[in-house]
Amino acid sequence: MSFTLAAPVHSELLIKKSRFIGCVQPVADRAAALAVVASLRAAHPAAAHVCWALMAGGQSAANDDGEPGGTAGRPMLEVLRHQQVEGALATVVRYFGGVKLGAGGLVRAYTDAVAQALLGAALVPLVRQRSLQCSVPYALEGLVRRELAAVGATLDSVTHGDEVAFAFSLPEPQADAFIVRLGDAAQGRVAWPQA
């Protein structure tokens, strides 16, 4: 099972006079991640490096930002993968302290910065959503709205035509049971175009 983060969590490490400021936070996609990285660069103009790793929406990416290849972004990404975290961005801002750490030291420092942040993170199970559409006679609109609210479905749209058409999503494990439940409640007067 994959997890996502409930909220951003920070860590800070001092290793041989270098300061590593780590953060793991939920993000929707690559564009959101790049916006966060840009804001970190603006907030830390004196930092030597702003390295990051992304696991979101089926995309993964890693950036060493000038550190030797494979010593920052990729190890950070591996921490996210190992913890099965999805929809997340890991960043580490490094202020260079004047002492070189070597490739192994850099890998440990960047890995530890992300791992320390994840230790304090609240992980939330990631549940796949299923999109559904149905239509009902006008007299059943209120019933459908109540049933959708009862299962915590996300209502995407309601269209009023010959009938009332609903587009919504709900957790995949609940979808099949909901279709049966709504059909029973509406006495079979629900049309499911793609169920």
Side-chain angles (χ1 to χ4, degrees):
M1 171 180 279
S2 294
F3 298 90
T4 192
L5 302 162
V9 182
H10 296 83
S11 68
E12 188 167 331
L13 302 173
L14 287 173
I15 302 171
K16 295 186 180 177
K17 299 182 183 177
S18 282
R19 183 175 167 214
F20 294 85
I21 304 166
C23 180
V24 290
Q25 65 192 81
V27 292
D29 54 28
R30 187 180 180 104
L34 293 176
V36 170
V37 171
S39 70
L40 281 173
R41 288 187 203 286
H44 298 275
H49 307 280
V50 179
C51 303
W52 56 273
L54 170 70
M55 289 287 292
Q59 299 177 343
S60 65
N63 187 304
D64 293 320
D65 191 36
E67 292 283 26
T71 61
R74 176 77 46 204
M76 294 164 58
L77 184 61
E78 289 307 314
V79 173
L80 294 177
R81 280 192 177 130
H82 181 72
Q83 296 295 322
Q84 298 178 322
V85 176
E86 173 65 33
L89 171 68
T91 56
V92 178
V93 175
R94 180 185 182 195
Y95 285 91
F96 183 59
V99 178
K100 294 191 177 198
L101 302 180
L106 287 172
V107 168
R108 279 188 299 280
Y110 283 100
T111 299
D112 288 351
V114 174
Q116 288 294 322
L118 280 173
L119 282 176
L123 297 178
V124 178
L126 203 56
V127 178
R128 176 171 303 214
Q129 298 289 305
R130 182 167 167 194
S131 295
L132 294 170
Q133 296 176 354
C134 72
S135 58
V136 296
Y138 276 83
L140 296 176
E141 179 178 2
L143 169 78
V144 173
R145 287 181 182 271
R146 286 188 299 279
E147 292 292 330
L148 290 172
V151 296
T154 302
L155 185 57
D156 299 321
S157 69
V158 179
T159 308
H160 294 87
D162 290 339
E163 291 192 312
V164 182
F166 291 87
F168 57 95
S169 58
L170 69 162
E172 179 75 44
Q174 297 176 3
D176 290 335
F178 179 78
I179 291 170
V180 170
R181 174 178 158 177
L182 187 60
D184 289 347
Q187 299 173 342
R189 294 181 292 166
V190 181
W192 298 94
Q194 91 312 3

